[in-house]
């Protein structure tokens, strides 16, 4: 049982792009900043689209009348990353990402579309990577996440009664990679991002989950590489999970984490196994 409310938070592209063989991955969207190669320059981009839906049918007591509510979630995530060697065994990098999420509901009576939730986030990560020795690399990332949300928070409320708020969260991350001729070991710690917001004149603490990650990869030959990744999620108090009541005479309860099904999901562990095969070294 949790001693304080928490919420699942927002996704970044690292959730989609991270693989167990990231120890040698040529892409900038990595959770462990030390996984980037110091003596290299890299520019990358990524776009992800997600749609999910559910149908809910309710029946009244009079005449067996039924009405269907169709709910749809759409999510667009894109990002760009830049990484460059600046000499003396040091490299710097930057990641910029935007996430847009909508939750809407359509009723069978009039096909009217009601926008129940709208979220826009902006994520920036500034990276510093240093070669301590020929085999050991350390990395630091300073992280910033800005969110703007429109939350109806109650299926019985009209869109005009939506709650709007903004928040900016800050945090950091540390990582290390030890490389040997046929593989690497890595560890990264990204504590939860934390910030504050104001809702109906009340100050609330907000947070997104952090992560502690361990990884290893091994290449017995030039053609074959195997990877292992283990991560545990870390949660901090998030007052948005407590919800609130609308600021009028109805005092209707509002879910400040939205109405989508994933607000009930709290991942706590991730395990990954990976395999890369090189068909040609040319």
């Amino acid at each position: 049982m949790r001693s304080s409310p928490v919420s699942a938070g927002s996704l970044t592209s690292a959730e989609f792009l991270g693989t167990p063989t990231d120890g040698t991955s040529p892409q900038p969207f990595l959770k462990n900043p030390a996984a980037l190669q110091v003596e290299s320059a890299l520019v990358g981009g990524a776009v992800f689209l997600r749609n999910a839906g559910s149908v809910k049918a309710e029946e009244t007591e009079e005449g067996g009348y039924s009405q269907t509510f169709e709910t749809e979630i759409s999510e667009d995530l894109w990002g760009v990353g830049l990484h460059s060697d600046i000499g003396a065994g040091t490299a710097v990098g930057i990641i910029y990402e935007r996430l847009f999420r909508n939750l809407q509901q359509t009723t069978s009576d009039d096909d009217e579309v009601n926008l129940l939730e709208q979220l826009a986030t902006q994520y920036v990560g500034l990276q510093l990577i240093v070669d301590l020795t020929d085999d050991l690399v350390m990395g630091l990332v300073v992280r910033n996440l800005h969110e703007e949300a429109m939350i109806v928070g109650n299926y019985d409320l009209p869109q005009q009664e939506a709650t709007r708020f903004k928040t900016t969260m800050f945090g950091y991350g540390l990582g290390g990679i030890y490389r040997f001729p046929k593989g690497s070991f890595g560890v990264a710690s990204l504590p939860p991002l934390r910030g504050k917001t104001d809702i109906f004149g009340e100050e609330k603490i907000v947070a997104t989950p952090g992560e502690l990650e361990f990884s290893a990869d091994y290449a017995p030959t030039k053609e074959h590489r195997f990877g292992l990744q283990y991560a545990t999620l870390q949660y901090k108090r998030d007052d948005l999970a407590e919800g609130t009541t609308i600021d009028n005479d109805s005092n209707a309860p509002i879910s400040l984490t939205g109405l989508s099904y994933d607000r009930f999901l709290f991942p706590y562990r991730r395990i990954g196994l990976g395999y890369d095969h090189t068909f040609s070294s040319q």
Side-chain angles (χ1 to χ4, degrees):
M1 180 178 295
R2 299 184 178 93
S3 59
S4 61
V6 298
S7 62
S10 303
L11 292 174
T12 62
S13 65
E15 301 289 341
F16 298 94
L17 287 170
T19 67
T21 53
D22 272 344
T24 57
S25 180
Q27 53 100 347
F29 304 99
L30 299 174
K31 290 184 179 177
N32 187 343
L36 292 165
Q37 303 285 345
V38 171
E39 297 179 358
S40 66
L42 179 67
V43 177
V47 176
F48 297 92
L49 305 176
R50 182 174 76 103
N51 289 88
S54 63
V55 176
K56 175 185 177 183
E58 291 187 351
E59 190 171 301
T60 65
E61 296 180 358
E62 298 179 2
Y65 170 77
S66 63
Q67 185 178 20
T68 301
F69 300 86
E70 183 176 355
T71 304
E72 180 182 359
I73 302 170
S74 62
E75 192 172 88
D76 303 331
L77 170 65
W78 62 267
V80 294
L82 171 66
H83 167 257
S84 179
D85 176 19
I86 59 174
T90 305
V92 294
I94 183 171
I95 296 173
Y96 178 81
E97 299 178 3
R98 294 299 304 267
L99 170 70
F100 301 94
R101 176 186 294 165
N102 288 331
L103 173 69
Q104 63 185 33
Q105 185 183 75
T106 305
T107 62
S108 59
D109 275 355
D110 50 17
D111 291 331
E112 180 181 358
V113 177
N114 298 311
L115 185 62
L116 301 179
E117 177 181 338
Q118 195 169 49
L119 175 69
T121 71
Q122 175 178 277
Y123 173 79
V124 178
L126 302 177
Q127 302 165 323
L128 175 67
I129 306 97
V130 180
D131 273 343
L132 297 183
T133 68
D134 292 339
D135 305 317
L136 182 62
V137 182
M138 299 297 293
L140 167 69
V141 57
V142 178
R143 307 156 67 210
N144 169 263
L145 180 67
H146 178 76
E147 290 189 353
E148 298 184 12
M150 185 281 290
I151 302 289
V152 174
N154 188 314
Y155 284 112
D156 296 325
L157 291 176
Q159 182 180 335
Q160 293 79 5
E161 301 285 358
T163 301
R164 292 174 169 82
F165 59 90
K166 300 178 182 180
T167 181
T168 300
M169 290 170 274
F170 295 93
Y172 67 93
L174 297 171
I177 291 283
Y178 177 78
R179 293 191 172 96
F180 54 94
K182 291 190 175 183
S184 67
F185 295 103
V187 61
S189 174
L190 293 91
L193 297 173
R194 305 195 73 187
K196 295 180 180 180
T197 190
D198 183 273
I199 298 176
F200 300 146
E202 181 180 357
E203 185 178 89
K204 293 183 179 292
I205 297 173
V206 295
T208 62
E211 189 166 314
L212 179 62
E213 180 184 275
F214 301 91
S215 61
D217 64 270
Y218 177 67
T221 67
K222 292 182 179 180
E223 293 81 15
H224 306 284
R225 179 174 293 275
F226 301 90
L228 171 66
Q229 189 179 70
Y230 178 87
T232 59
L233 279 292
Q234 303 169 331
Y235 293 91
K236 288 289 187 180
R237 180 183 180 91
D238 185 355
D239 290 340
L240 297 184
E242 292 181 322
T244 187
T245 55
I246 193 167
D247 191 20
N248 63 18
D249 294 336
S250 69
N251 288 324
I254 299 173
S255 168
L256 293 175
T257 55
L259 296 172
S260 61
Y261 61 88
D262 54 2
R263 75 184 189 275
F264 299 112
L265 303 178
F266 296 91
Y268 66 94
R269 182 185 302 142
R270 186 180 68 251
I271 301 174
L273 296 173
Y275 170 71
D276 290 345
H277 180 79
T278 302
F279 290 96
S280 173
S281 59
Q282 300 299 321

